[in-house]
Short mmCIF file of all heavy atoms in Angstrom, two decimals:
data_model
loop_
_atom_site.label_atom_id
_atom_site.label_comp_id
_atom_site.label_asym_id
_atom_site.label_seq_id
_atom_site.Cartn_x
_atom_site.Cartn_y
_atom_site.Cartn_z
N GLU A 1 5.71 11.42 10.64
CA GLU A 1 5.94 10.01 10.34
C GLU A 1 4.67 9.21 10.62
O GLU A 1 4.04 9.39 11.66
CB GLU A 1 7.07 9.45 11.20
CG GLU A 1 8.41 10.12 11.00
CD GLU A 1 9.50 9.42 11.79
OE1 GLU A 1 9.46 8.18 11.89
OE2 GLU A 1 10.38 10.12 12.33
N THR A 2 4.32 8.33 9.71
CA THR A 2 3.22 7.41 9.94
C THR A 2 3.67 6.34 10.93
O THR A 2 4.73 5.74 10.78
CB THR A 2 2.80 6.74 8.62
OG1 THR A 2 2.30 7.75 7.72
CG2 THR A 2 1.71 5.70 8.85
N SER A 3 2.84 6.11 11.94
CA SER A 3 3.18 5.13 12.97
C SER A 3 1.94 4.31 13.36
O SER A 3 0.88 4.88 13.57
CB SER A 3 3.74 5.84 14.19
OG SER A 3 4.03 4.92 15.23
N PRO A 4 2.06 2.97 13.42
CA PRO A 4 3.28 2.22 13.09
C PRO A 4 3.46 2.10 11.59
O PRO A 4 2.48 2.11 10.85
CB PRO A 4 2.99 0.85 13.71
CG PRO A 4 1.50 0.72 13.65
CD PRO A 4 0.96 2.09 13.89
N GLN A 5 4.70 2.00 11.16
CA GLN A 5 4.97 1.79 9.74
C GLN A 5 4.95 0.29 9.46
O GLN A 5 5.61 -0.47 10.16
CB GLN A 5 6.31 2.40 9.35
CG GLN A 5 6.31 3.91 9.41
CD GLN A 5 7.50 4.54 8.73
OE1 GLN A 5 8.40 3.86 8.26
NE2 GLN A 5 7.51 5.86 8.65
N PRO A 6 4.19 -0.13 8.45
CA PRO A 6 4.13 -1.56 8.14
C PRO A 6 5.51 -2.10 7.76
O PRO A 6 6.35 -1.38 7.22
CB PRO A 6 3.18 -1.62 6.94
CG PRO A 6 2.40 -0.35 7.00
CD PRO A 6 3.34 0.67 7.57
N SER A 7 5.72 -3.38 8.04
CA SER A 7 6.98 -4.03 7.64
C SER A 7 7.05 -4.10 6.13
O SER A 7 6.05 -3.97 5.42
CB SER A 7 7.04 -5.44 8.21
OG SER A 7 6.02 -6.25 7.64
N SER A 8 8.25 -4.31 5.61
CA SER A 8 8.45 -4.38 4.15
C SER A 8 7.65 -5.53 3.55
O SER A 8 7.25 -5.47 2.38
CB SER A 8 9.94 -4.54 3.84
OG SER A 8 10.47 -5.68 4.48
N ASP A 9 7.41 -6.58 4.33
CA ASP A 9 6.62 -7.72 3.85
C ASP A 9 5.13 -7.38 3.77
O ASP A 9 4.44 -7.82 2.85
CB ASP A 9 6.82 -8.94 4.76
CG ASP A 9 8.23 -9.51 4.68
OD1 ASP A 9 8.90 -9.29 3.64
OD2 ASP A 9 8.66 -10.17 5.63
N LYS A 10 4.67 -6.61 4.74
CA LYS A 10 3.23 -6.31 4.82
C LYS A 10 2.82 -5.09 3.98
O LYS A 10 1.68 -5.00 3.53
CB LYS A 10 2.85 -6.08 6.28
CG LYS A 10 1.34 -5.95 6.52
CD LYS A 10 1.02 -5.91 8.00
CE LYS A 10 -0.47 -5.65 8.25
NZ LYS A 10 -1.33 -6.66 7.62
N LEU A 11 3.75 -4.16 3.76
CA LEU A 11 3.41 -2.91 3.09
C LEU A 11 2.72 -3.11 1.73
O LEU A 11 1.75 -2.40 1.43
CB LEU A 11 4.67 -2.04 2.92
CG LEU A 11 4.45 -0.61 2.43
CD1 LEU A 11 3.51 0.16 3.36
CD2 LEU A 11 5.79 0.12 2.32
N PRO A 12 3.18 -4.05 0.88
CA PRO A 12 2.52 -4.22 -0.43
C PRO A 12 1.03 -4.53 -0.33
O PRO A 12 0.27 -4.20 -1.25
CB PRO A 12 3.28 -5.40 -1.06
CG PRO A 12 4.63 -5.35 -0.43
CD PRO A 12 4.38 -4.92 0.98
N GLU A 13 0.59 -5.12 0.78
CA GLU A 13 -0.83 -5.44 0.94
C GLU A 13 -1.69 -4.18 0.93
O GLU A 13 -2.86 -4.22 0.52
CB GLU A 13 -1.05 -6.20 2.26
CG GLU A 13 -0.37 -7.55 2.32
CD GLU A 13 -0.55 -8.23 3.68
OE1 GLU A 13 -1.40 -7.76 4.47
OE2 GLU A 13 0.17 -9.21 3.95
N TYR A 14 -1.13 -3.06 1.38
CA TYR A 14 -1.89 -1.82 1.44
C TYR A 14 -2.03 -1.14 0.08
O TYR A 14 -2.72 -0.13 -0.05
CB TYR A 14 -1.24 -0.85 2.44
CG TYR A 14 -1.34 -1.32 3.88
CD1 TYR A 14 -0.29 -1.99 4.49
CD2 TYR A 14 -2.50 -1.11 4.62
CE1 TYR A 14 -0.37 -2.43 5.81
CE2 TYR A 14 -2.60 -1.55 5.94
CZ TYR A 14 -1.54 -2.20 6.52
OH TYR A 14 -1.63 -2.64 7.82
N TYR A 15 -1.36 -1.69 -0.92
CA TYR A 15 -1.49 -1.18 -2.29
C TYR A 15 -2.43 -2.06 -3.12
O TYR A 15 -2.69 -1.75 -4.28
CB TYR A 15 -0.12 -1.13 -2.97
CG TYR A 15 0.80 -0.05 -2.45
CD1 TYR A 15 1.62 -0.29 -1.35
CD2 TYR A 15 0.86 1.19 -3.05
CE1 TYR A 15 2.47 0.69 -0.86
CE2 TYR A 15 1.72 2.18 -2.58
CZ TYR A 15 2.51 1.92 -1.48
OH TYR A 15 3.36 2.89 -1.00
N GLU A 16 -2.91 -3.15 -2.55
CA GLU A 16 -3.73 -4.11 -3.29
C GLU A 16 -5.18 -3.66 -3.29
O GLU A 16 -6.02 -4.15 -2.54
CB GLU A 16 -3.59 -5.51 -2.68
CG GLU A 16 -2.19 -6.09 -2.87
CD GLU A 16 -2.01 -7.42 -2.16
OE1 GLU A 16 -2.99 -7.89 -1.52
OE2 GLU A 16 -0.91 -7.99 -2.26
N SER A 17 -5.47 -2.72 -4.17
CA SER A 17 -6.82 -2.19 -4.28
C SER A 17 -7.03 -1.66 -5.69
O SER A 17 -6.13 -1.03 -6.26
CB SER A 17 -7.06 -1.07 -3.27
OG SER A 17 -8.25 -0.38 -3.55
N GLU A 18 -8.21 -1.89 -6.24
CA GLU A 18 -8.53 -1.31 -7.54
C GLU A 18 -8.61 0.21 -7.46
O GLU A 18 -8.55 0.90 -8.46
CB GLU A 18 -9.88 -1.86 -8.04
CG GLU A 18 -9.83 -3.33 -8.41
CD GLU A 18 -11.16 -3.82 -8.94
OE1 GLU A 18 -12.10 -3.00 -9.00
OE2 GLU A 18 -11.24 -5.01 -9.30
N ASP A 19 -8.72 0.74 -6.23
CA ASP A 19 -8.81 2.18 -6.05
C ASP A 19 -7.45 2.85 -6.00
O ASP A 19 -7.38 4.08 -5.91
CB ASP A 19 -9.58 2.50 -4.76
CG ASP A 19 -11.04 2.09 -4.85
OD1 ASP A 19 -11.58 2.13 -5.96
OD2 ASP A 19 -11.61 1.74 -3.80
N TYR A 20 -6.36 2.04 -6.03
CA TYR A 20 -5.05 2.68 -6.02
C TYR A 20 -4.73 3.13 -7.43
O TYR A 20 -4.24 2.40 -8.27
CB TYR A 20 -3.95 1.78 -5.45
CG TYR A 20 -2.74 2.60 -5.08
CD1 TYR A 20 -2.82 3.51 -4.02
CD2 TYR A 20 -1.58 2.56 -5.82
CE1 TYR A 20 -1.76 4.34 -3.71
CE2 TYR A 20 -0.51 3.38 -5.51
CZ TYR A 20 -0.61 4.26 -4.45
OH TYR A 20 0.43 5.08 -4.16
N ILE A 21 -5.02 4.40 -7.68
CA ILE A 21 -5.20 4.90 -9.04
C ILE A 21 -3.93 4.97 -9.87
O ILE A 21 -3.97 4.82 -11.08
CB ILE A 21 -5.91 6.28 -8.99
CG1 ILE A 21 -6.45 6.67 -10.36
CG2 ILE A 21 -4.98 7.36 -8.44
CD1 ILE A 21 -7.43 7.81 -10.30
N SER A 22 -2.77 5.19 -9.26
CA SER A 22 -1.56 5.34 -10.05
C SER A 22 -1.10 4.01 -10.65
O SER A 22 -0.19 3.99 -11.47
CB SER A 22 -0.43 5.94 -9.20
OG SER A 22 -0.01 5.04 -8.21
N HIS A 23 -1.72 2.91 -10.24
CA HIS A 23 -1.36 1.60 -10.78
C HIS A 23 -2.33 1.11 -11.86
O HIS A 23 -2.22 0.00 -12.34
CB HIS A 23 -1.30 0.56 -9.65
CG HIS A 23 -0.15 0.77 -8.72
ND1 HIS A 23 -0.05 0.12 -7.51
CD2 HIS A 23 0.94 1.57 -8.81
CE1 HIS A 23 1.07 0.50 -6.90
NE2 HIS A 23 1.67 1.38 -7.67
N THR A 24 -3.29 1.96 -12.24
CA THR A 24 -4.26 1.56 -13.26
C THR A 24 -4.48 2.70 -14.24
O THR A 24 -4.08 3.84 -14.01
CB THR A 24 -5.62 1.19 -12.63
OG1 THR A 24 -6.28 2.39 -12.22
CG2 THR A 24 -5.46 0.26 -11.44
N ASN A 25 -5.18 2.38 -15.33
CA ASN A 25 -5.60 3.41 -16.28
C ASN A 25 -7.11 3.57 -16.27
O ASN A 25 -7.70 4.08 -17.23
CB ASN A 25 -5.13 3.03 -17.70
CG ASN A 25 -3.65 3.28 -17.89
OD1 ASN A 25 -3.09 4.23 -17.34
ND2 ASN A 25 -2.98 2.43 -18.66
#
């Protein structure tokens, strides 16, 4: 388990990157 796990409000911030490849082409 990843610890600490970000809250549901904060977790989306960790996906905010041009390098997150599954969200781009």
